Amino acid sequence: MREPTLLCVPSVAKSTDQMAADMRLARSNGADLVEIRLDHLQSFDPQRDLRFLLKDPPLPTLVTYRPNWEGGEYEGDDEPRFEALCLAMELGADYVDVELKVADKFFASISNKKPEKCKIIVSSHNYQFTPSLEDLGNLVARIQATGADIVKIATTAVDISDVARMFQIIVHCQVPIIGLVMKERGLICRLLCSKFGGYLTFGTLESGKESAPGQPSISDLLNVYNIRQIGPDTKVFGIIGKPVGHSKGPILHNAAFRSVGFNAVYVPLLVDNLADFFNVYSSPDFAGFSCTIPHKEAALKICDEVDPIAKSIGAVNTIIRRPSDGKLIGYNTDYVGAISAIEDGIKVSSHNAAKDGTGSPLAGKLFVVIGAGGAGKALAYGAKQKGAKVVIANRTVDRAKELARWVGGDALSLSELENFHPEEGMILANTTSIGMHPKVDESPIPKQALRFYSLVFDAVYNPRMTKLLLEAEESGAAVVSGLEMFIRQAMRQFELFTGLPAPEQLMREIMTKNA
């Protein structure tokens, strides 16, 4: 049985005083060890600085002196570098890291003088791509042949499918291995390494203190992803999208999983091609997914079975891998989340429910949907089902017309929407990403056009109050944030993921706190 994955905080400070402060902070933040990056020090005196840093350190230490030809800051010859690493070993460093390219030379230079306590990591970094499985296997063999105590391979993710090859290497490696895939598409390698048996992963003290591209913070590893609880049996869920870094899904679902004792982790999945992703990640361990822009319609095609409502809408935002046969089952929880939030918003603002027989305050209302993508389809379908008259406005009018035909509504271009006000008290629902962080100064419709609406809904939830909602409120309309839709659709997703009731109060508290 493998040991638990260690959490290592890299210090890339410019001074030894700051490095010492980083080491203390790393310990208080829950790290297992700290990486001392000597190549980042502005003026480095090996005897003085290593004695200072390695005298009674608060955590075990990994000493790295990375040359510029392997992505580091050191520009000199190898000999002084080797001497510094050798001194670090003598002074009690727990690990030193040396590059594969010079490993034989380094081992020759220490001539069997390595202290028993110290482990030598031999590393290889590829900042361009992730090699084939065969090439990675050969690389492991080459590193092992140097006499390394620990193998370290860091590659770069061009596509999220690259990470699967690294997982295979980690799982089958017979010696301790650090396998990392850099950049945003490789993030799951850092988050899931304890599931697959990686020796350690890196977490930064804060943004801007990364020693390699794509490192998460140690706070997120421990408090968002619950990395200490991730093991071989942990099920993986995630949010598939592009972009995906803004999603609050990991904060919400991981806390919800933890609150009910469900052994799972929820991770961001930056996916370029949905079909390729599911071809590669076909294991039952990858058990369920939220699906967001731009993949909701493509998700419909890759599912083996689709819930009737999702099929009617023509968009899937939730995919479950059925445990009995591995088939992918598609659902749409946007529909329930958004429509129920809008209905409740109307009831609160008008202090009464609809008086006709449908029971929905949307019945007979003119309901304008901005956007004709997956979320737009869900809102249009839901509004139509509730008896509303639907109008679709979209930048590409042909797409608006296509959706309008489907729901028996009308179509407009986005520019035409500015002067569209056939009646008072209309409902407006923005389902595009216009106004989403970081482009918070954008709105899909001019402020003067908002006075004709009694309620405005925005599917964007980051920020919670978008420019559209702020201007709608100033114009006298009731507003419903995308946060409310997000919470409601996420609760339904949680139930589909786990088969358990969603912890509603907890999920609301988390989203209110993190909005």
Side-chain angles (χ1 to χ4, degrees):
M1 185 176 167
R2 296 194 190 217
E3 295 295 314
T5 297
L6 301 174
L7 297 188
C8 180
V9 165
S11 176
V12 291
K14 300 294 182 192
S15 71
T16 52
D17 283 344
Q18 186 55 54
M19 273 192 175
D22 284 353
M23 291 164 82
R24 292 190 294 273
L25 197 53
R27 182 183 177 182
S28 65
N29 280 13
D32 298 306
L33 70 155
V34 67
E35 181 185 32
I36 298 169
R37 283 293 297 264
L38 300 177
D39 50 300
H40 282 261
L41 288 170
Q42 268 178 339
S43 58
F44 175 51
D45 178 319
Q47 288 288 343
R48 179 196 67 203
D49 295 340
L50 282 169
R51 287 181 192 282
F52 172 72
L53 289 168
L54 296 174
K55 190 183 181 207
D56 301 322
L59 284 172
T61 52
L62 157 57
V63 177
T64 302
Y65 202 178
R66 188 79 70 220
N68 55 1
W69 47 260
E70 188 94 354
E73 307 268 312
Y74 178 73
E75 295 181 343
D77 296 332
D78 283 332
E79 282 69 21
R81 206 163 62 84
F82 291 173
E83 285 169 13
L85 291 174
C86 199
L87 179 60
M89 290 195 293
E90 286 172 26
L91 293 172
D94 298 272
Y95 306 86
V96 297
D97 179 316
V98 65
E99 303 72 30
L100 172 61
K101 188 172 166 185
V102 294
D104 289 339
K105 202 163 124 188
F106 176 74
F107 277 104
S109 76
I110 62 172
S111 59
N112 300 319
K113 287 190 219 155
K114 180 176 85 76
E116 196 174 321
K117 170 195 171 186
C118 187
K119 290 185 168 62
I120 297 178
I121 299 168
V122 174
S123 58
S124 169
H125 297 76
N126 185 323
Y127 291 95
Q128 279 73 48
F129 61 95
T130 299
S132 69
L133 194 58
E134 184 181 359
D135 287 347
L136 286 171
N138 291 337
L139 187 56
V140 169
R142 281 177 58 209
I143 294 174
Q144 281 183 267
T146 64
D149 296 303
I150 299 165
V151 171
K152 179 185 175 188
I153 299 175
T155 65
T156 298
V158 178
D159 187 90
I160 196 168
S161 60
D162 296 340
V163 182
R165 299 198 290 282
M166 188 63 81
F167 286 152
Q168 283 185 267
I169 288 296
I170 296 170
V171 164
H172 293 111
C173 192
Q174 299 303 305
V175 297
I177 181 168
I178 304 163
L180 301 169
V181 185
M182 296 180 282
K183 297 208 168 170
E184 191 181 358
R185 286 169 177 80
L187 176 60
I188 58 166
C189 195
R190 299 178 181 278
L191 303 179
L192 300 177
C193 61
S194 54
K195 174 175 175 59
F196 295 97
Y199 187 80
L200 68 77
T201 192
F202 293 90
T204 63
L205 286 173
E206 60 188 72
S207 180
K209 291 191 171 181
E210 299 87 356
S211 60
Q215 285 175 350
S217 70
I218 185 162
S219 173
D220 281 354
L221 285 172
L222 288 169
N223 303 321
V224 175
Y225 298 102
N226 309 314
I227 194 166
R228 298 280 195 211
Q229 279 69 54
I230 297 173
D233 298 331
T234 301
K235 293 291 184 191
V236 180
F237 296 83
I239 169 82
I240 292 172
K242 184 184 178 183
V244 78
H246 67 282
S247 175
K248 298 286 196 295
I251 295 170
L252 185 65
H253 282 291
N254 285 316
F257 289 157
R258 184 172 57 214
S259 76
V260 299
F262 188 69
N263 184 12
V265 62
Y266 185 99
V267 296
L269 302 162
L270 178 54
V271 171
D272 297 287
N273 183 294
L274 202 62
D276 289 350
F277 173 83
F278 280 104
N279 283 338
V280 171
Y281 293 94
S282 56
S283 153
D285 280 357
F286 288 81
F289 310 88
S290 310
C291 203
T292 189
I293 296 169
H295 297 306
K296 292 184 182 186
E297 289 158 291
L300 192 76
K301 295 176 186 139
I302 61 96
C303 287
D304 299 299
E305 294 175 23
V306 178
D307 176 76
I309 289 176
K311 193 174 279 185
S312 297
I313 292 167
V316 159
N317 81 321
T318 309
I319 300 170
I320 304 298
R321 194 186 302 280
R322 193 160 55 200
S324 59
D325 56 11
K327 287 189 184 301
L328 299 175
I329 318 300
Y331 299 87
N332 191 303
T333 67
D334 285 337
Y335 155 70
V336 178
I339 294 298
S340 66
I342 291 168
E343 285 181 321
D344 287 351
I346 296 171
K347 289 173 186 175
V348 168
S349 64
S350 61
H351 305 294
N352 63 354
K355 297 185 174 54
D356 63 19
T358 66
S360 173
L362 286 172
K365 292 272 191 184
L366 191 61
F367 192 102
V368 179
V369 178
I370 301 177
K377 285 182 172 180
L379 268 289
Y381 172 87
K384 186 70 177 176
Q385 291 293 105
K386 298 291 184 176
K389 299 171 287 183
V390 179
V391 174
I392 311 296
N394 195 54
R395 201 170 271 150
T396 311
V397 188
D398 285 347
R399 288 204 73 187
K401 286 179 177 173
E402 188 183 326
L403 180 50
R405 274 196 302 272
W406 176 67
V407 292
D410 295 315
L412 300 170
S413 69
L414 210 46
S415 56
E416 287 175 300
L417 194 56
E418 184 176 347
N419 299 308
F420 177 77
H421 44 83
E423 58 185 72
E424 300 285 331
M426 301 185 294
I427 309 291
L428 181 69
N430 173 44
T431 68
T432 72
S433 59
I434 297 169
M436 185 168 80
H437 182 81
K439 298 181 179 178
V440 295
D441 295 327
E442 296 181 3
S443 176
I445 182 172
K447 183 178 179 180
Q448 63 268 23
L450 293 169
R451 67 183 186 276
F452 302 104
Y453 294 92
S454 61
L455 183 138
V456 175
F457 164 80
D458 198 338
V460 171
Y461 65 86
N462 184 14
R464 182 177 187 174
M465 285 299 284
T466 58
K467 184 178 181 182
L468 171 65
L469 293 185
L470 289 169
E471 291 184 343
E473 208 166 52
E474 288 165 10
S475 304
V479 297
V480 176
S481 163
L483 193 68
E484 187 59 35
M485 169 191 172
F486 182 79
I487 290 167
R488 293 178 187 219
Q489 65 81 29
M491 285 167 57
R492 178 64 186 133
Q493 284 187 333
F494 178 90
E495 289 162 2
L496 289 166
F497 290 160
T498 65
L500 301 168
E504 179 176 357
Q505 187 180 343
L506 173 79
M507 292 173 89
R508 287 191 175 280
E509 285 170 5
I510 289 165
M511 288 313 298
T512 303
K513 182 180 166 188
N514 289 282

